[in-house]
């Protein structure tokens, strides 16, 4: 939990962008609060006062720059909800996000604090939003309440994001993810 910020929203955004740039450049393990302080011309004391730890700062920066908020997507149909979610990001951002996630994937296995912060501050809220979207689809009759694929939608979405780089050596893009939604996720849900 961050303390009440005395930083302006512009300054916070600048700090978050610097953290993400450093993550892309050096990876999680080599990222230090000293490097963030130097890059942003801040004091380490300020950084630790605002964010208690490196994992919290990193996850908060990721959450701040994440353009998708599933809680406010409700088009009235599951397919258009999922495509609206995808439309909130562009190929350039997908490429940046892919690079960050690859770097963090290794780090979460070696840093339990990062893993915990990532789950609490970024993943859990997104899964809650996705669950609400899927519940609305069930309530509308688009998806059967007993469809086992409902439990695996987060896995399918994360899998698409990660697997393309692994299998094809290409970052996921709008076209790939849109096709994936239509060819894999929606048919699995019977929608």
């Amino acid at each position: 939990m961050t303390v009440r910020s005395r930083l302006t929203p512009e300054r916070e955004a600048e700090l978050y962008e610097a953290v993400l740039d450093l993550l892309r450049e050096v990876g999680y393990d080599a990222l230090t609060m000293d490097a963030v302080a130097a890059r942003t011309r801040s004091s380490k004391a300020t950084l630790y006062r605002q964010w208690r730890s490196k994992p919290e700062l990193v996850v908060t920066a990721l959450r701040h720059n994440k353009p998708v908020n599933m809680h406010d997507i409700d088009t009235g149909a599951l397919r258009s909800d999922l495509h609206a979610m995808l439309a909130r990001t562009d190929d350039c951002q997908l490429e940046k996000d892919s690079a960050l996630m690859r770097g963090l994937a290794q780090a979460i296995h070696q840093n339990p604090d990062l893993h915990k912060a990532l789950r609490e501050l970024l993943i859990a809220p997104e899964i809650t939003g996705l669950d609400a979207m899927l519940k609305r689809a069930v309530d509308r009759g688009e998806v059967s309440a007993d469809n086992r694929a409902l439990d695996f939608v987060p896995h399918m979405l994360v899998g698409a994001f990660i697997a393309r780089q692994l299998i094809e050596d290409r970052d996921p893009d709008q076209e790939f993810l849109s096709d994936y939604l239509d060819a894999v996720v929606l048919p699995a849900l019977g929608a």
Side-chain angles (χ1 to χ4, degrees):
M1 190 78 151
T2 52
V3 258
R4 182 176 209 137
S5 176
R6 286 187 259 159
L7 302 173
T8 65
E10 296 80 16
R11 180 68 173 140
E12 267 190 294
E14 180 184 313
L15 280 162
Y16 294 144
E17 191 56 41
V19 168
L20 297 180
D21 286 344
L22 281 166
L23 271 173
R24 289 181 194 104
E25 292 168 22
V26 302
Y28 180 80
D29 289 333
L31 182 134
T32 64
M33 293 299 243
D34 284 325
V36 174
R39 173 78 55 102
T40 61
R41 294 180 300 273
S42 302
S43 73
K44 276 189 359 182
T46 297
L47 296 176
Y48 279 109
R49 191 171 37 252
Q50 294 295 124
W51 304 277
R52 294 176 304 190
S53 65
K54 178 172 98 170
E56 187 173 313
L57 173 58
V58 167
V59 172
T60 305
L62 288 165
R63 186 176 62 189
H64 180 266
N65 273 16
K66 186 163 179 27
V68 176
N69 179 355
M70 287 188 262
H71 291 283
D72 64 354
I73 297 174
D74 186 0
T75 65
L78 180 59
R79 181 179 188 279
S80 55
D81 283 352
L82 290 171
H83 282 276
M85 174 187 71
L86 178 58
R88 291 194 176 183
T89 197
D90 60 29
D91 286 344
C92 181
Q93 188 62 47
L94 284 169
E95 186 177 325
K96 287 179 177 181
D97 289 348
S98 182
L100 284 172
M101 290 303 120
R102 282 192 306 274
L104 288 172
Q106 172 81 18
I108 64 170
H109 295 292
Q110 299 167 351
N111 299 281
D113 290 341
L114 173 64
H115 190 213
K116 181 180 181 212
L118 194 63
R119 287 194 51 73
E120 288 176 1
L121 297 173
L122 191 65
I123 296 169
E126 291 302 315
I127 288 177
T128 300
L130 183 60
D131 286 346
M133 183 186 293
L134 294 170
K135 183 179 181 327
R136 287 192 303 270
V138 168
D139 292 346
R140 289 188 300 258
E142 294 177 85
V143 178
S144 173
D146 63 355
N147 184 316
R148 292 283 298 128
L150 284 167
D151 294 336
F152 300 104
V153 173
H155 305 82
M156 286 188 274
L157 297 175
V158 170
F161 196 77
I162 293 171
R164 187 159 201 213
Q165 180 68 39
L166 182 66
I167 294 169
E168 299 177 34
D169 198 24
R170 295 173 59 193
D171 289 318
D173 58 24
Q174 291 274 339
E175 181 180 3
F176 172 80
L177 293 173
S178 179
D179 289 347
Y180 184 86
L181 287 174
D182 290 336
V184 178
V185 177
L186 291 165
L189 292 171

